[in-house]
Amino acid sequence: MSRTSERGRGGVPARRRRHPNAKDHLWERARELRRQGRRYDEIAAELGVSKSSVSLWVRDLPKPPRVPDPDRMTRMSRAYWGPVLRRREAERREVRSQAASEVGALSERELLIAGVALYWAEGAKSKPHRRSERVVFVNSDPDVISVYLRWLDLLAVDRSRLRFAVNIHESADVAAAERFWAQHIGIPASCLQKASLKRHNPKTTRLSAGPRHRGCLRVVVLGGADLYRRIEGWWYGIVEGVSSAAGDGCPN
């Protein structure tokens, strides 16, 4: 039945427009969804309009019978949040792309400072009560690992001095994680040291304990005491440089 031939309650024609406008497709879709038995709030969520608009558009159609629908709230949530989340993701990608372009290529000095800050935030550090000058870095982010290895290259640390191993939950697919990390850093999986397995606690629900979890990669520099001391010195050089740049003036 065409839109212009539909009749409303009491034989009154359903609302028409002499000239089509931007909401005509919403009007038609709302009536289609109502004939499928959808409720006002479901139609409003899917179309992104108010319930009052839906009521005006479909009130001449028969009211659908109420039937149990356990998936109704999930369907409504997806209909409403789907477009919102897609828009936010597009905005996020645009901001990230613009910010990345502001960095550009790094000089050796910039990479040196970035690597020192990265290591001091994520790497193993010696404690006053337990002096252990070892260069050990563990992280789950492949990009972080790539930047760290490039930093070691800048410091002329030969790859033959590096030892790699995977830290991962025992419930995960350990072999798959080892293949992933080996491929990422460009070595055979057989060259990895024995994985360090974390005992799985079934009482806790962790996304990081599933079969697709890749764990973390541990990177150890053999004979790294001298390198550790240099890293420590560079870090405190950064701290002193920031302090000097800040000056001793009071804020306004």
Side-chain angles (χ1 to χ4, degrees), residues 48-219:
V49 298
S50 65
K51 287 176 63 175
S52 60
S53 293
V54 174
S55 174
L56 288 173
W57 295 343
V58 306
R59 62 185 178 185
D60 60 295
L61 298 178
K63 184 177 181 180
R66 288 189 173 274
V67 294
D69 186 359
D71 298 326
R72 174 172 169 267
M73 295 306 297
T74 299
R75 194 167 58 245
M76 286 178 58
S77 178
R78 289 176 179 171
Y80 176 79
W81 286 108
V84 174
L85 296 177
R86 286 192 293 272
R87 184 174 65 254
R88 288 179 180 174
E89 181 59 29
E91 294 170 352
R92 186 179 298 112
R93 286 196 300 267
E94 181 179 355
V95 172
R96 183 175 60 191
S97 177
Q98 180 179 350
S101 67
E102 295 171 358
V103 175
L106 298 184
S107 67
E108 290 189 352
R109 174 179 169 78
E110 289 169 337
L111 178 56
L112 172 65
I113 294 174
V116 171
L118 182 63
Y119 183 86
W120 209 250
E122 296 291 322
K125 291 175 283 294
S126 184
K127 307 294 183 183
H129 60 277
R130 188 185 62 190
R131 187 64 63 183
S132 177
E133 297 175 324
R134 300 178 65 228
V135 179
V136 182
F137 188 84
V138 182
N139 205 271
S140 62
D141 188 329
D143 291 335
V144 169
I145 293 294
S146 295
V147 171
Y148 177 68
L149 293 179
R150 177 65 187 88
W151 179 67
L152 291 179
D153 290 339
L154 174 67
L155 302 181
V157 176
D158 194 276
R159 290 291 177 102
S160 64
R161 295 175 57 194
L162 304 184
R163 296 295 182 268
F164 303 96
V166 174
N167 294 0
I168 196 168
H169 286 270
E170 63 181 358
S171 60
D173 189 337
V174 179
E178 290 183 327
R179 287 194 298 270
F180 168 81
W181 284 112
Q183 181 178 10
H184 181 73
I185 61 178
I187 66 172
S190 58
C191 292
L192 293 172
Q193 294 187 321
K194 184 177 180 180
S196 175
L197 303 182
K198 183 176 181 180
R199 187 178 299 278
H200 177 60
N201 183 357
K203 295 181 180 180
T204 60
T205 302
R206 297 179 181 270
L207 296 177
S208 60
R212 297 180 63 185
H213 177 50
R214 297 167 178 168
C216 300
L217 186 68
R218 183 173 74 251
V219 185

Side-chain angles (χ1 to χ4, degrees), residues 237-249:
I238 293 173
V239 174
E240 292 172 4
V242 170
S243 300
S244 299
D248 55 4

